Amino acid sequence: GMVTQGSIVLGVSPFVHLAQVMLLGLGAVAALLMPGMKPHRPEIFVVMALSIAGMMVFTDAMDFLSFYVGLELMSFPLYIMAAWTRDNAKSSEAALKYFVLGGLVSGLFLFGVSLIYAATGALTVDMESAAVIGVALQRGIPFTALRVVLDTATEALPPDMDAVNAV
């Protein structure tokens, strides 16, 4: 079944509950392994709990809005945990790279959701939306939209100086 709270739609099924219990179990195992790691600060448990909460929302999501909220609630604490050892240059570099790639993926996800919303008029994940998306993919609608975006972006770029100098 589905539970609706405002505009957030969450799925309720035995599989979702199993996935959430597994996430909580893995989080407990990770928390038990934490005290041996250096540097150890107690705030890491709060950050880890926020990330696990995001993973639980992520598994519950039945619409793209709650899916995105879960994705971001999961990702931001993971960025923090990647940069946890501030003195280590590799940790800071990894966190920065993860943050940049996460922002790129988040933007691409929202772009895809906007195309799905344009094709279906809904943000819910159901069979009707999947059928409309399948028809849109067969007709090449997202590829046309992507071409328009890429053409617009390339027009804003400065001209290639080698091509200008060759004339």
Side-chain angles (χ1 to χ4, degrees):
M2 291 191 326
V3 176
T4 304
Q5 179 68 30
S7 63
I8 304 292
V9 180
L10 302 175
V12 180
S13 71
F15 179 73
V16 168
H17 292 303
L18 174 67
Q20 289 179 342
V21 167
M22 288 174 56
L23 286 170
L24 288 172
L26 290 172
V29 169
L32 289 174
L33 295 174
M34 276 290 171
M37 297 181 68
K38 299 289 179 199
H40 176 66
R41 296 190 305 267
E43 304 90 46
I44 188 85
F45 298 112
V46 175
V47 174
M48 184 187 301
L50 281 172
S51 183
I52 292 171
M55 292 176 201
M56 292 176 73
V57 171
F58 196 71
T59 59
D60 253 355
M62 292 298 293
D63 68 342
F64 291 115
L65 179 62
S66 57
F67 190 80
Y68 183 71
V69 168
L71 177 71
E72 293 303 317
L73 185 59
M74 176 187 68
S75 296
F76 285 125
L78 289 177
Y79 301 150
I80 294 169
M81 286 193 287
W84 197 253
T85 53
R86 289 179 268 184
D87 300 335
N88 188 348
K90 289 189 178 196
S91 176
S92 299
E93 179 185 354
L96 183 62
K97 287 179 180 178
Y98 185 35
F99 179 72
V100 169
L101 287 175
L104 176 70
V105 169
S106 181
L108 288 174
F109 175 76
L110 288 176
F111 179 67
V113 167
S114 68
L115 291 176
I116 291 171
Y117 183 73
T120 64
L123 290 175
T124 58
V125 180
D126 54 9
M127 295 307 289
E128 293 84 18
S129 297
V132 172
I133 292 167
V135 170
L137 284 173
Q138 287 175 350
R139 294 184 181 167
I141 293 171
F143 301 110
T144 304
L146 182 61
R147 172 139 189 212
V148 168
V149 169
L150 290 176
D151 286 347
T152 306
T154 54
E155 287 176 8
L157 293 175
D160 185 10
M161 293 312 292
D162 292 334
V164 171
N165 291 336
V167 174

